[in-house]
Amino acid sequence: MAIDMSRFGGSKWVTTHPNNLHTHGSLEPVMSILDIRGFPLHDMFLIGINDNCGTIVLPTESRAENAAAALEPAYETRVYIMGRRQGEDVWATDYTRRAPDGTTLSAFITNLTLEDGRQVIKDGRWVR
């Protein structure tokens, strides 16, 4: 038996839609791509970090794999077990939008040098 995705609803930051669809954050254009590609928008929790990346939490591995297939090649995807909830596996598909040349767009600051020349972030990690 797959986990009941309605458990992800109920927060003031999460919007609950019909068909057990729960959303949080920036979700355009990912929802449009899923819909256009025929991926059924039900029984899932979409978390949009920004317009370029996010995570889709799904109750089964096959739904997670199908979400990844619907998003490729516009997005780089990764499917994995997010964890266990109430004794059931919870699956996730991470997605990051690709640039027209096929490279992925970074949603995070990976390198940061201050005006005084001191580098404080290198390769996504704080420099001490």
Side-chain angles (χ1 to χ4, degrees):
M1 181 174 154
I3 186 165
D4 178 12
M5 297 305 290
S6 67
R7 300 279 184 172
F8 290 96
S11 167
K12 67 180 179 179
W13 295 285
V14 174
T15 303
T16 299
H17 306 273
N19 298 326
N20 207 14
L21 171 64
H22 308 280
T23 60
H24 177 273
S26 181
L27 300 169
E28 278 301 324
V30 72
M31 282 185 67
S32 295
I33 291 173
L34 289 170
D35 189 38
I36 289 169
R37 299 263 177 106
F39 184 79
L41 299 177
H42 66 80
D43 297 315
M44 61 184 179
F45 180 28
L46 280 84
I47 306 162
I49 310 247
N50 58 37
D51 287 346
N52 293 324
C53 66
T55 299
I56 306 169
V57 181
L58 298 143
T60 64
E61 180 180 15
S62 65
R63 292 240 326 132
E65 291 287 348
N66 289 340
L71 292 173
E72 289 284 348
Y75 291 85
E76 178 181 327
T77 61
R78 178 176 71 108
V79 175
Y80 60 98
I81 293 179
M82 185 176 205
R84 291 184 64 82
R85 190 165 182 167
Q86 299 166 342
E88 299 290 334
D89 288 341
V90 179
W91 289 85
T93 301
D94 287 348
Y95 60 90
T96 304
R97 189 186 319 209
R98 292 183 196 270
D101 67 0
T103 60
T104 56
L105 303 171
S106 177
F108 303 100
I109 297 171
T110 56
N111 293 295
L112 179 64
T113 303
L114 302 179
E115 287 181 355
D116 65 5
R118 197 169 33 122
Q119 188 171 25
V120 292
I121 299 176
K122 182 177 181 180
D123 299 325
R125 301 192 180 274
W126 287 102
V127 176
R128 297 186 196 266

